[in-house]
Amino acid sequence: MPSADLPLDECRVYRPEMPLPVGFAAFWSGTLGEAPHDRTGDGPRYKEVDCGLPHVRTYDVSVPGYGGRPVRGWLHMPSGSTEPLGCVVEFLGYGRGRGLPHEELVWACAGYAHLVMDTRGQGWSAAPGLTADTDPGSAGAVPGFLTRGIESPDTYYYRRVFTDAVRCVEAMREHPEIDPARIVVTGVSQGGGIALAVAGLVPGLAGVMPDVPFLCNIARGARIAGLPPYAEIAAYLRLHHDRTDQVFRTLSYFDAAHHATRAPAPALFSIAMTDEICPPSTCFTAYNRYTGPKELRVYEFNGHEGGGAHHRAVQLAWVHDLFSP
């Protein structure tokens, strides 16, 4: 893989020309300002579940997402907390669902609230999900999610997902046990791209931690990545040659490298130099364009697994310093 992409010294200064699409800000302010319809409840719902873990409280969460339709998640909180908690909101990698309630407890064990957001329609790979995507898009989409509704920004799949993510952050800000000024968003791969989008769409976040982020410089990823998910776009365009310009126009509204230019929160990135799924130059595109204070950990000999548990230790220390008085 290293020979298929740029070397590290070139990645560090890689800043391709990527003008914002026309109406980018208006599109997103309009999307997030839409009144929810088909609302299934008045607001977020929390149902405590017994996982047999006395030091962690876990709640089955339902948040009204895009169109007011419910998005599920798990909220983990340390037992016995008396002061408002800092909170880590986590978005998941491609194909993952929220999993089982006793998984992903590191952040709660560290003393923070931790929301794991289900990704609508996903949950078939490493962990199950429980949130349906009620709009499958038009016929002809490649199996997966990257070309679902790709005919227009208005119908594109990630319009719904990014809105879901924003609504989940808003729900945590309104939670009585959470400090709204101490919320960090994070995720690996797809989750990292979603976190970057949220960092550009939601003001006042305490921080963002994107790991080997997907959905960055999507046009380049579709052209140089030989593996899914980016390969879904290439497969679509092999059959629809006349739609290339429209496809990349749609994708430009969801490119995390664009959202990075509008994100002021402190950021901790990780990028892996032998990543065949999210080529490092695509991740560096977002990092180099990120406007807020930023730090980077490069894992030179790792693939899409990134820094794994080693990087989680880095994140724990970074969040501790970020949330300390």
Side-chain angles (χ1 to χ4, degrees), residues 76 90 92 96 98 100-108 114 116 312:
H76 307 295
E90 183 171 0
L92 299 170
R96 290 186 62 93
R98 66 175 184 168
L100 301 178
H102 59 273
E103 300 179 276
E104 305 297 334
L105 301 177
V106 169
W107 292 110
H114 178 210
V116 181
R312 180 53 57 87

Side-chain angles (χ1 to χ4, degrees), residues 105-181:
L105 301 177
V106 169
W107 292 110
C109 291
Y112 311 119
H114 178 210
L115 177 70
V116 181
M117 186 190 88
D118 220 8
T119 310
R120 58 171 60 225
Q122 299 188 30
W124 77 88
S125 61
L130 202 60
T131 302
D133 183 27
T134 55
D135 186 355
S138 62
V142 173
F145 294 87
L146 244 62
T147 62
R148 184 176 287 192
I150 204 166
E151 297 80 14
S152 166
D154 293 331
T155 57
Y156 190 49
Y157 170 75
Y158 282 100
R159 184 188 189 206
R160 302 188 288 280
V161 172
F162 288 3
T163 303
D164 294 344
V166 169
R167 300 301 185 222
C168 283
V169 171
E170 292 171 346
M172 292 302 97
R173 281 184 164 168
E174 296 170 359
H175 195 288
E177 295 186 59
I178 290 173
D179 181 352

Side-chain angles (χ1 to χ4, degrees), residues 242-314:
D242 58 325
R243 301 181 188 176
T244 300
D245 290 345
Q246 179 56 50
V247 161
F248 287 123
R249 177 184 177 274
T250 293
L251 292 169
S252 67
Y253 288 86
F254 305 90
D255 200 309
H258 286 320
H259 289 282
T261 66
R262 302 163 60 84
L268 172 65
F269 280 72
S270 75
I271 299 174
M273 291 307 297
T274 64
D275 192 339
E276 297 183 80
I277 293 173
C278 295
S281 63
T282 65
C283 303
F284 269 98
T285 303
Y287 176 76
N288 291 336
R289 290 164 58 90
Y290 193 86
T291 52
K294 57 190 177 185
E295 301 177 37
L296 171 64
R297 299 295 185 275
V298 175
Y299 296 95
E300 187 174 0
F301 300 103
N302 287 85
H304 197 55
E305 77 281 0
H310 296 279
H311 190 66
R312 180 53 57 87
V314 174

Side-chain angles (χ1 to χ4, degrees), residues 55-56 78 85-86 88 105-113 316-317 319-320 323:
H55 300 295
V56 176
L85 297 165
V88 176
L105 301 177
V106 169
W107 292 110
C109 291
Y112 311 119
L316 284 163
V319 171
H320 176 269
F323 284 170

